[in-house]
């Protein structure tokens, strides 16, 4: 039987706001940390989140939570939460 590490998806909204210490702490706790840079790549679909991830960490940013016009990935982030 192969044991896989629990996976956590980190949604990063800006290049300047990485998971930093959170990413280190999760890795030290034995988690596999996958970072999705939402400003530059699509956020994984809900179907893969249900099957693949044990947790979700959403980073902040300088934008408002409802700044969908300037940051279209915010709506997708809310759907994933």
């Amino acid at each position: 039987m192969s044991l896989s590490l629990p996976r956590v998806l980190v949604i990063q909204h800006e290049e300047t706001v990485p998971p930093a210490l959170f990413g280190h702490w999760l890795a030290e706790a034995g988690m596999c940390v996958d970072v999705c840079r939402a400003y530059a790549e699509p956020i994984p679909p809900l179907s893969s989140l249900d099957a693949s991830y044990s947790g979700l960490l959403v980073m902040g940013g300088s934008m408002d939570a409802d700044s969908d016009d300037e940051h279209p990935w915010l709506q997708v982030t809310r759907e994933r939460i």
Side-chain angles (χ1 to χ4, degrees):
M1 172 190 345
S2 92
L3 296 175
S4 61
L5 295 176
R7 294 175 65 199
V8 174
L9 177 65
V10 176
I11 297 179
Q12 180 180 341
H13 290 290
E14 294 182 334
E15 186 175 357
T16 58
V17 186
L21 286 176
F22 289 110
H24 295 294
W25 293 332
L26 289 168
E28 287 175 0
M31 306 274 183
C32 178
V33 179
D34 295 336
V35 178
C36 173
R37 291 160 184 83
Y39 56 89
E41 62 187 279
I43 298 171
L46 283 174
S47 59
S48 74
L49 295 180
D50 291 343
S52 302
Y53 293 97
S54 300
L56 175 67
L57 174 63
V58 179
M59 304 307 298
S62 61
M63 73 286 294
D64 292 327
D66 60 356
S67 297
D68 295 355
D69 290 339
E70 300 87 17
H71 309 285
W73 63 86
L74 291 175
Q75 178 179 351
V76 177
T77 299
R78 288 192 300 275
E79 292 169 2
R80 299 310 183 261
I81 293 171

